[in-house]
Amino acid sequence: MDRHVASGGVYLRYPAASDFEEWAELREESRSFLVPWEPVWPLDDLTRSAFRRRLRRYTKEIRDEIAHPFFIFRESDDALLGSCILSNIRRGVAQAGTLGYWVGKRYSRQGVMTEAAGAIITFAFEELALHRLEAACLPSNEARRRQLKRV
């Protein structure tokens, strides 16, 4: 399981067990930044065992073709920047999916999500042949609304 999708200076890759430490560090240091959009964090969310459960769930979702979770990396140094997921993939008449993402606080407002969203949108329409993408956005999150309009 090592799908890669690239755009600009970032690439998307399915999460791997070897990503745990960098992922947990980035999530922990970004917690207060992310809580307004992710208010509920399980008590064990940043543990290795919870990460393994997450990877098992991702593997099943990919196999069942209902989601494609990606970690976002910077091409120049392979630094983990955040994550995006194409989930709730529906086939049949709808041919649709939902886009969700987060970026580490230290990488916010640097164009990371614009590049990553562009890459996953291309993946969704060209490789998965979806017809529609949805993205949830809190009404108060003006930065995300502007970013979504751009892509």
Side-chain angles (χ1 to χ4, degrees), residues 36-51:
W37 298 280
E38 297 179 35
V40 179
W41 289 42
L43 292 175
D44 71 340
D45 193 46
L46 301 179
T47 65
R48 191 173 297 276
S49 61
F51 190 76

Side-chain angles (χ1 to χ4, degrees), residues 100-115:
Y101 55 81
W102 65 270
V103 65
K105 181 178 180 179
R106 64 179 133 150
Y107 303 116
S108 70
R109 308 227 184 239
Q110 296 179 21
V112 170
M113 289 318 306
T114 298
E115 290 298 330

Side-chain angles (χ1 to χ4, degrees), residues 59-131:
T59 299
K60 182 179 182 334
E61 291 171 344
I62 293 164
R63 185 186 63 239
D64 294 345
E65 298 183 9
I66 59 172
H68 288 273
F70 293 102
F71 280 0
I72 306 163
F73 296 90
R74 187 171 42 218
E75 284 186 341
S76 62
D77 61 0
D78 297 319
L80 176 63
L81 310 175
S83 176
C84 60
I85 185 167
L86 182 58
S87 63
N88 194 27
I89 296 173
R90 297 165 318 276
R91 296 296 183 175
V93 175
Q95 298 291 337
T98 303
L99 173 63
Y101 55 81
W102 65 270
V103 65
K105 181 178 180 179
R106 64 179 133 150
Y107 303 116
S108 70
R109 308 227 184 239
Q110 296 179 21
V112 170
M113 289 318 306
T114 298
E115 290 298 330
I120 204 164
I121 288 168
T122 299
F123 171 76
F125 289 120
E126 292 181 7
E127 293 195 40
L128 299 181
L130 297 182
H131 300 162

